[in-house]
Amino acid sequence: MCGIFGVMDKRRQMMDGSGIRDALSMMNERGSGEGAGYVAYGIYPDYQDCYALHIFFDRACESRAAVEAMLEQWGTIECGEAIPTYDQPNLKANCAPWRYFFRPDASLAPGSASPEKDVIANLVMQINAGTTGAEVVSSGKNVGVFKASGWPEDVANYYRIEDYEGYIWLAHNRYATSCPEQWERPDPFNLHDWSVVENGKTTTYGANRRYVESFGYTCSTGTDSEVIAYLIDLLTRKHGLAIDLAIRALAPPYWDEIDRMPEAEQKLNRALRFAYGSATMNGPFTVVAANPDMMVGFTDRGKLRPMVVGECGDRLYIASEETAIRAMEPCVESIVRPAAGEPVIGRVAP
Amino acid sequence: MSSNFGSMPLRYRISIDREQCMECGRCVENCPYGVFRWDGNRILINSRNCTACHRCLTYCPRDAIMLQEHPCDYRSHPVWTRSVRESIYNQARTGKIILAGMGSVANLPIIFDHLMLDACQVTTPPTDPLREPVELRTYLGKKPAKLEFTQKPNGDVELSTELTPNLMLETPIMLGHMSYGALSLNAHVAMARAAKETGTYMGTGEGGLHPGLYPYQDRMIVQVASGRFGVNVDYLERGAAIELKLGQGAKPGIGGHLPGEKVSADVSRTRMIPQGSDAISPAPHHDIYGIEDLPQLVNSIKEATEYKKPIFAKIAAVNNNAENVAAVARSGVDAIAIDGFRGGTGAAPRVFRDHVGIPIEVAISTADQELRKQGLRNEVSIIACGSIRESTDVIKAIALGADAVYIGTAALIAMGCRVCGNCYQGLCSWGIATQRPDLVARLDPDVASKQIANLIHAWTLEITELMGAAGINSIESLRGNRDRLRGYMLDEGLLEILDVKSVGA
Ligand code: SF4
Ligand code: SF4
């Protein structure tokens, strides 16, 4: 189950989190009240050149000291503070959410085309796989993930999500199947630019994980969305694939369809399946992903999970259910349900 | 030289129920080993020659013949077993290496049987293969690690990565290398037709390519072994792919030997050796004395065939398998066949067959792991071989990291082979492992090819169902997906090597 929701404003007009909370709560039937999360782009204009690291600490003191030492080694902490939270009767906090605005030292990743992101990615892998009792839940510029175990509205109120304004929001209403108590387990998952929410459960977690780990990523939570975020980062940033091709690599057409394509397209699709066979995701899923410039949605090629797309003015919506879109945009202008294997790609105006 | 052992206890006893027997004499005609003979109007039996090939039993119209293995007991002893004692008697008498046919008989656990497959339940739906496609199509050969694009003047991007030739298989099951010479022409024709019908490929083995197989050459993987039998540029050009045989799982580290009795006129022409002479393949290739020599051989074959065909290499699975595979992967080959220690053979020294090598399950797993670690996995496809017995072995081998499998013995059994293990005698009563024309004629290629095709088809259906149940609709999503396997009663060390979790985890 699980319910997912994404909204993007093509002209970067800001939306505060209250509407997103209401939309997500509309899909409470799809969740189990044991996890929800939000991610928003554009929330930290004052620190837009810094990487915002949202970190959950198990033990506020020791964990923090260890992580801060690590950060100092890899760059400069501009600011570090507790993320403001507001106790909710139904939420049992078992970690301390913290944020750092951080400048990575690019000279520490020589030879890289995107050294800052490499430093950030390394740090995230190291901290999350390590035993410091810390979990980095988001690490991009001007973006932040807010999540916890509980119903969407409680989680939103815990962070006072309405105090944040962003031009792209993704949200996730979790139906827990394991570790309901762990706050880092609900989606969204984020790695610097990219954030991912998923409704589904791939049958290829093991194969995908082995593939992405052979490129230096470390998956530490056992969740699909973590692997998907790393796969998208690998394919788009390191392998230089355009997003439409990256999505096609993750959810490729059937061979029969490829056989019927015109020559050049056949060649391209065969090459994608040759190169990215191990990255291909199988089983039921709908994924909504975003980076600062776009929001995309795609499903498995059999479309075993729902995906509804709405448009209204400058806003693009992707959700598990139409009601969620209507909760935020009662007069939505168009609602479509893309066919299996048909991705939705929305870009923010440059 | 005589010995003081007298005769050994019978291996098999053949008996005829005289009440049932109607003295038709079919057993006399059918047994090539001379177990039955007429004495006036009575059939006499010499059980000592019996190989348990079951030919007589299947052709007796009255079910009058019965076969019993080990009709005579030794005093049982846990250390000095029957086979230990009989080997000693044998060697004390002959002073020779003991040869044995077919695969290992060592009574060791089979890892495949301790790996359990997964199926979808509530969190993910299974795929119904009747309603939705489940893709088994497999490409063997090099794959690009990543793709390059060029920007066209109009802004469009165009793929600039050139794909190297791959073999396209409709199912990940191929027919492994068994040579013409070891096998009859009818057996080879049957396998070739089955390969064509099922959209897969067959290995020629090291015996060259008989003109009778030219019509199927686009389905043949031609082998180049250390004996270089039948190899010339015409041979290389006919094959769909070329395989360099560097080792064999049943006898790692040693060469091969086809007894002169099996080198008929036709075999001699195909192998390009004198009729009746023993065909000896030396242990090493005489132009490969170090790994650096291998790329030279690979390149010269690529030059000879103008880079149009994938080149495979076959190695035996031994201790440092992962390093061997990584070394071969760097030589420019497009696929590596790894032959586990249970691999079949016409004849191999018993000590090699039963004691040298490692299981295919471990070999595949460590090879896949090492290739990924070294960033070489896309450079080669991996083919698992050596006792792939049923569809579940195929699916487990792929989940451990193989791209496809070769089947050998299973294909022979589909043609009627009874695994009697006497292939080296050249008298196969089923017409499979023999060159004697009257015996070869017993195998009708039309019938035998249908049976092999049926087997491949049946396995393919089972694999499709198992994948569907696991919610996987393309074979590349199964490959290396060890998460979908669980080890049942395997020790912790082995689970770690296989990178598979225990049941319940
Ligand atoms: S060798 Fe075969 S045909 Fe001959 S008696 Fe034994 S089982 Fe029967
Ligand atoms: S091929 Fe023939 S000789 Fe060899 S094991 Fe099978 S039945 Fe026996």
Side-chain angles (χ1 to χ4, degrees):
Chain A
M1 287 294 275
C2 304
I4 56 178
F5 181 81
V7 54
M8 180 190 88
D9 190 291
K10 289 171 205 165
R11 295 200 294 128
R12 293 183 201 263
Q13 298 168 97
M14 293 297 183
M15 300 164 264
D16 78 49
S18 56
I20 290 86
R21 173 188 58 203
D22 297 345
L24 193 65
S25 306
M26 197 51 95
M27 295 187 290
N28 274 356
E29 261 186 9
R30 306 185 69 88
S32 64
E34 291 160 300
Y38 302 83
V39 60
Y41 288 80
I43 55 173
Y44 295 130
D46 296 348
Y47 287 101
Q48 55 179 325
D49 296 327
C50 290
Y51 286 82
L53 305 178
H54 279 202
I55 304 184
F56 287 171
F57 289 117
D58 281 355
R59 303 174 303 271
C61 292
E62 308 114 75
S63 310
R64 250 180 64 205
V67 166
E68 284 173 9
M70 218 186 264
L71 293 181
E72 297 289 2
Q73 214 183 323
W74 289 89
T76 325
I77 301 173
E78 291 285 323
C79 168
E81 61 188 13
I83 297 177
T85 57
Y86 308 87
D87 282 349
Q88 299 297 312
N90 298 326
L91 277 199
K92 192 170 151 286
N94 57 10
C95 62
W98 216 266
R99 66 186 164 210
Y100 295 95
F101 295 100
F102 177 71
R103 286 183 201 280
D105 180 349
S107 70
L108 293 175
S112 163
S114 43
E116 290 194 346
K117 286 176 184 164
D118 273 337
V119 169
I120 293 289
N122 277 341
L123 264 172
V124 172
M125 307 297 145
Q126 250 184 58
I127 295 172
N128 289 2
T131 53
T132 45
E135 200 76 35
V136 183
V137 296
S138 63
S139 52
K141 283 182 178 170
N142 209 357
V143 62
V145 164
F146 303 90
K147 56 186 179 180
S149 298
W151 289 107
E153 51 278 22
D154 291 331
V155 174
N157 296 339
Y158 179 76
Y159 290 106
R160 283 214 184 136
I161 208 78
E162 63 271 27
D163 291 351
Y164 295 92
E165 290 202 316
Y167 61 94
I168 302 178
W169 283 84
L170 306 183
H172 182 249
N173 192 338
R174 182 179 189 218
Y175 187 112
T177 56
S178 67
C179 311
E181 73 291 349
Q182 288 180 11
W183 279 28
E184 66 272 18
R185 288 298 286 256
D187 292 358
F189 274 80
N190 162 286
L191 181 68
H192 47 75
D193 282 355
W194 283 102
S195 304
V196 170
V197 291
E198 184 212 22
N199 166 26
K201 187 165 169 61
T202 65
T203 52
T204 40
Y205 175 78
N208 300 152
R209 175 181 176 163
R210 292 190 71 219
Y211 175 72
V212 82
E213 288 198 336
S214 70
F215 292 92
Y217 295 83
T218 312
C219 301
S220 51
T221 59
T223 57
D224 289 352
S225 309
E226 184 185 31
V227 177
I228 298 167
Y230 297 168
L231 281 171
I232 296 180
D233 180 52
L234 172 73
L235 267 50
T236 56
R237 179 167 66 97
K238 296 206 174 158
H239 288 187
L241 288 186
I243 186 66
D244 55 327
L245 294 181
I247 292 173
R248 187 163 301 194
L250 298 179
Y254 292 106
W255 286 119
D256 281 351
E257 291 164 16
I258 295 176
D259 291 347
R260 288 195 297 268
M261 291 174 181
E263 178 68 27
E265 218 181 317
Q266 221 181 84
K267 201 180 134 198
L268 171 65
N269 281 279
R270 185 170 307 125
L272 279 171
R273 287 196 71 170
F274 272 25
Y276 295 109
S278 302
T280 295
M281 289 155 53
N282 226 295
F285 62 83
T286 296
V287 169
V288 181
N291 76 1
D293 304 315
M294 67 180 90
M295 179 173 80
V296 301
F298 58 101
T299 66
D300 63 274
R301 50 194 186 164
K303 202 177 179 197
L304 295 166
R305 288 289 193 270
M307 181 167 85
V308 184
V309 178
E311 272 187 287
C312 195
D314 288 325
R315 299 219 175 135
L316 171 71
Y317 295 88
I318 308 178
S320 301
E321 293 186 12
E322 188 179 329
T323 53
I325 299 174
R326 290 196 183 276
M328 194 168 157
E329 194 82 65
C331 306
V332 59
E333 288 157 6
S334 97
I335 288 280
V336 289
R337 294 176 171 76
E342 213 176 89
V344 180
I345 300 175
R347 290 177 207 273
V348 177
Chain B
M1 195 176 63
S2 67
S3 70
N4 67 357
F5 296 128
S7 62
M8 291 290 124
L10 279 181
R11 175 97 191 259
Y12 310 104
R13 180 192 297 289
I14 287 285
S15 53
I16 297 177
D17 180 344
R18 302 284 169 179
E19 293 262 300
Q20 288 295 320
C21 174
M22 60 181 199
E23 278 142 19
C24 67
R26 283 187 179 81
C27 52
V28 184
E29 286 159 30
N30 269 286
C31 178
Y33 300 97
V35 171
F36 305 98
R37 70 173 191 280
W38 284 110
D39 180 34
N41 55 6
R42 199 181 147 77
I43 296 169
L44 296 186
I45 300 170
N46 174 11
S47 289
R48 197 158 290 281
N49 286 349
C50 178
T51 65
C53 75
H54 275 201
R55 182 79 189 183
C56 57
L57 279 86
T58 48
Y59 280 86
C60 175
R62 289 286 184 87
D63 286 334
I65 302 175
M66 195 39 68
L67 185 156
Q68 197 191 354
E69 187 168 12
H70 298 152
C72 168
D73 288 334
Y74 283 74
R75 177 212 162 197
S76 57
H77 193 286
V79 177
W80 301 99
T81 58
R82 172 192 291 264
S83 79
V84 164
R85 271 176 271 185
E86 289 187 348
S87 299
I88 292 176
Y89 299 138
N90 183 333
Q91 294 189 303
R93 195 174 63 237
T94 63
K96 290 186 177 147
I97 289 172
I98 299 176
L99 286 183
M102 298 310 272
S104 171
V105 299
N107 187 19
L108 298 166
I110 296 174
I111 298 172
F112 278 136
D113 295 341
H114 292 262
L115 292 171
M116 307 306 291
L117 295 167
D118 192 16
C120 288
Q121 289 300 301
V122 291
T123 55
T124 42
T127 303
D128 181 353
L130 290 176
R131 294 190 304 168
E132 290 169 55
V134 171
E135 301 182 308
L136 262 58
R137 186 189 290 190
T138 301
Y139 285 91
L140 295 183
K142 281 189 197 309
K143 310 286 188 297
K146 52 190 263 202
L147 303 178
E148 305 293 340
F149 296 88
T150 42
Q151 187 110 23
K152 289 203 287 196
N154 67 0
D156 287 359
V157 288
E158 197 182 34
L159 181 71
S160 51
T161 304
E162 279 300 329
L163 298 179
T164 49
N166 269 246
L167 289 192
M168 200 239 302
L169 284 57
E170 294 297 344
T171 179
I173 305 162
M174 294 188 291
L175 299 166
H177 289 262
M178 296 174 285
S179 68
Y180 171 53
L183 300 192
S184 66
L185 186 59
N186 282 0
H188 253 208
V189 170
M191 297 201 318
R193 281 187 199 162
K196 196 168 187 107
E197 190 186 325
T198 54
T200 185
Y201 293 83
M202 120 174 209
T204 58
E206 58 174 310
L209 188 66
H210 188 279
L213 292 167
Y214 290 172
Y216 313 100
Q217 62 190 27
D218 58 336
R219 290 283 146 192
M220 309 292 283
I221 301 164
V222 297
Q223 197 177 54
V224 175
S226 60
R228 304 282 156 92
F229 301 122
V231 177
N232 59 19
V233 76
D234 176 65
Y235 173 70
L236 299 179
E237 269 166 6
R238 285 183 188 276
I242 297 151
E243 177 164 312
L244 296 169
K245 179 187 175 185
L246 305 174
Q248 184 175 348
K251 38 184 170 180
I254 59 171
H257 178 190
L258 184 72
E261 299 87 73
K262 279 180 127 175
V263 182
S264 63
D266 238 9
V267 171
S268 103
R269 220 171 319 161
T270 310
R271 290 211 177 204
M272 306 174 189
I273 56 168
Q275 190 174 341
S277 66
D278 286 11
I280 312 267
S281 308
H285 282 248
H286 285 313
D287 47 6
I288 306 182
Y289 280 91
I291 183 65
E292 57 286 348
D293 297 333
L294 181 60
Q296 289 184 1
L297 180 58
V298 172
N299 284 332
S300 48
I301 291 177
K302 288 204 162 170
E303 282 290 331
T305 52
E306 294 168 342
Y307 297 85
K308 284 189 190 135
K309 296 172 197 287
I311 313 284
F312 296 7
K314 174 171 163 179
I315 59 169
V318 290
N319 288 359
N320 47 349
N321 175 66
E323 284 168 38
N324 290 343
V325 169
V328 176
R330 286 191 169 81
S331 70
V333 300
D334 300 280
I336 303 178
I338 309 176
D339 199 10
F341 83 125
R342 286 180 208 279
T345 174
R350 186 186 57 103
V351 287
F352 280 82
R353 189 194 63 174
D354 297 346
H355 294 274
V356 182
I358 62 170
I360 187 62
E361 301 89 333
V362 169
I364 291 300
S365 186
T366 53
D368 179 64
Q369 197 94 312
E370 187 67 22
L371 290 176
R372 281 173 198 263
K373 205 168 92 193
Q374 300 194 26
L376 292 166
R377 186 62 185 86
N378 62 294
E379 291 293 324
V380 284
S381 293
I382 297 180
I383 303 158
C385 46
S387 250
I388 301 293
R389 302 158 302 163
E390 37 190 278
S391 59
T392 49
D393 289 354
V394 180
I395 210 167
K396 290 170 188 176
I398 294 174
L400 287 173
D403 291 87
V405 304
Y406 272 142
I407 59 169
T409 306
L412 299 187
I413 297 175
M415 287 192 276
C417 160
R418 291 299 201 267
V419 197
C420 74
N422 281 269
C423 313
Y424 57 92
Q425 288 199 43
L427 291 173
C428 176
S429 60
W430 296 92
I432 300 167
T434 178
Q435 300 304 326
R436 218 173 80 181
D438 61 315
L439 297 176
V440 174
R442 291 179 178 184
L443 189 73
D444 179 340
D446 288 336
V447 174
S449 73
K450 186 73 209 148
Q451 287 170 197
I452 299 175
N454 278 346
L455 180 76
I456 294 177
H457 187 64
W459 285 16
T460 303
L461 283 177
E462 286 179 339
I463 293 170
T464 308
E465 289 289 336
L466 287 164
M467 281 173 55
I472 291 175
N473 65 17
S474 78
I475 195 96
E476 60 252 54
S477 294
L478 176 68
R479 187 169 310 132
N481 199 344
R482 299 165 185 190
D483 228 34
R484 310 307 300 277
L485 296 174
R486 287 292 183 272
Y488 184 41
M489 303 191 32
L490 293 174
D491 63 65
E492 213 176 312
L494 196 48
L495 286 173
E496 199 176 308
I497 296 238
L498 294 171
D499 188 22
V500 166
K501 292 192 192 113
S502 163
V503 285

